[in-house]
Amino acid sequence: IWSGQILYNHDSDRVRLRNISETGALVDSSGHYPPNAEVMLDLGDGGQHFARVSWAHGDQVGLKFDRPFDIALLSKSKPAVADHHWTRPD
Protein backbone atom coordinates (compact mmCIF):
# COMPACT_ATOMS: atom_id res chain seq x y z
CA ILE A 1 0.00 0.00 0.00
CA TRP A 2 1.47 3.31 -1.01
CA SER A 3 0.81 6.32 1.10
CA GLY A 4 1.46 9.99 0.61
CA GLN A 5 0.10 13.40 1.42
CA ILE A 6 -2.28 15.83 -0.17
CA LEU A 7 -1.22 19.43 0.27
CA TYR A 8 -4.13 21.87 0.02
CA ASN A 9 -4.97 25.30 1.38
CA HIS A 10 -1.81 25.55 3.56
CA ASP A 11 -2.50 22.17 5.16
CA SER A 12 -1.55 18.54 4.56
CA ASP A 13 -3.42 15.28 4.94
CA ARG A 14 -1.97 11.79 4.92
CA VAL A 15 -3.61 9.65 2.23
CA ARG A 16 -3.63 6.03 1.14
CA LEU A 17 -3.15 5.49 -2.58
CA ARG A 18 -5.80 3.05 -3.85
CA ASN A 19 -4.94 3.18 -7.54
CA ILE A 20 -3.06 5.37 -9.95
CA SER A 21 -2.75 5.79 -13.70
CA GLU A 22 -1.15 8.18 -16.13
CA THR A 23 -4.14 10.54 -15.85
CA GLY A 24 -5.19 10.37 -12.20
CA ALA A 25 -5.40 8.63 -8.86
CA LEU A 26 -7.88 7.39 -6.28
CA VAL A 27 -6.92 8.03 -2.65
CA ASP A 28 -8.48 7.40 0.74
CA SER A 29 -8.40 10.57 2.80
CA SER A 30 -9.89 12.02 5.97
CA GLY A 31 -9.72 15.50 4.43
CA HIS A 32 -12.56 17.28 2.67
CA TYR A 33 -11.84 18.70 -0.78
CA PRO A 34 -14.28 20.57 -2.99
CA PRO A 35 -14.62 19.52 -6.63
CA ASN A 36 -12.07 21.21 -8.89
CA ALA A 37 -9.79 22.13 -5.96
CA GLU A 38 -6.12 22.37 -6.94
CA VAL A 39 -3.99 20.05 -4.78
CA MET A 40 -0.52 18.56 -4.73
CA LEU A 41 -0.14 14.81 -4.24
CA ASP A 42 3.20 14.16 -2.55
CA LEU A 43 4.32 10.55 -3.00
CA GLY A 44 7.69 10.98 -1.29
CA ASP A 45 10.37 9.41 -3.49
CA GLY A 46 7.65 9.02 -6.15
CA GLY A 47 7.56 12.79 -6.59
CA GLN A 48 5.11 15.63 -6.15
CA HIS A 49 2.26 15.94 -8.63
CA PHE A 50 -0.24 18.74 -9.16
CA ALA A 51 -3.83 17.58 -9.61
CA ARG A 52 -7.45 18.70 -9.45
CA VAL A 53 -10.15 17.02 -7.40
CA SER A 54 -12.52 15.35 -9.87
CA TRP A 55 -14.86 14.05 -7.19
CA ALA A 56 -15.01 13.23 -3.48
CA HIS A 57 -17.35 10.80 -1.74
CA GLY A 58 -16.92 9.76 1.87
CA ASP A 59 -13.26 8.93 2.46
CA GLN A 60 -12.41 8.58 -1.24
CA VAL A 61 -11.11 11.31 -3.52
CA GLY A 62 -10.61 11.11 -7.27
CA LEU A 63 -7.73 13.19 -8.63
CA LYS A 64 -6.92 14.21 -12.20
CA PHE A 65 -3.26 15.04 -12.82
CA ASP A 66 -2.25 18.28 -14.53
CA ARG A 67 0.46 16.37 -16.42
CA PRO A 68 0.73 12.67 -17.31
CA PHE A 69 2.08 10.58 -14.42
CA ASP A 70 5.00 8.24 -15.09
CA ILE A 71 4.17 4.99 -13.24
CA ALA A 72 7.90 4.12 -13.20
CA LEU A 73 8.32 6.81 -10.51
CA LEU A 74 6.65 4.48 -8.01
CA SER A 75 9.61 2.09 -8.29
CA LYS A 76 11.65 4.74 -6.43
CA SER A 77 9.37 4.61 -3.40
CA LYS A 78 8.60 1.79 -1.01
CA PRO A 79 5.03 0.81 -0.15
CA ALA A 80 4.03 1.42 3.45
CA VAL A 81 2.00 -0.97 5.54
CA ALA A 82 -1.46 0.43 6.26
CA ASP A 83 -2.01 1.65 9.79
CA HIS A 84 -3.72 -0.97 11.97
CA HIS A 85 -6.36 1.67 12.86
CA TRP A 86 -7.40 1.90 9.24
CA THR A 87 -11.10 1.23 8.75
CA ARG A 88 -12.77 0.14 5.55
CA PRO A 89 -14.67 2.98 3.84
CA ASP A 90 -18.47 2.72 3.61
Side-chain angles (χ1 to χ4, degrees):
I1 305 295
W2 273 270
S3 63
Q5 290 187 18
I6 286 183
L7 293 94
Y8 172 69
N9 201 22
H10 306 289
D11 202 3
S12 66
D13 179 37
R14 189 166 173 86
V15 297
R16 180 180 181 192
L17 185 63
R18 296 297 245 167
N19 66 45
I20 193 164
S21 71
E22 183 178 274
T23 59
L26 171 62
V27 298
D28 288 337
S29 170
S30 61
H32 300 283
Y33 306 100
N36 225 19
E38 295 181 49
V39 301
M40 178 182 286
L41 177 61
D42 183 351
L43 297 174
D45 291 338
Q48 295 179 332
H49 310 279
F50 289 103
R52 287 193 178 269
V53 174
S54 296
W55 57 270
H57 183 73
D59 291 348
Q60 295 189 330
V61 181
L63 302 175
K64 181 177 181 185
F65 294 127
D66 288 353
R67 295 192 174 133
F69 176 75
D70 181 2
I71 298 291
L73 292 173
L74 289 181
S75 67
K76 296 179 180 179
S77 63
K78 294 180 182 178
V81 175
D83 185 358
H84 71 281
H85 291 102
W86 193 264
T87 56
R88 184 177 184 176
D90 293 335

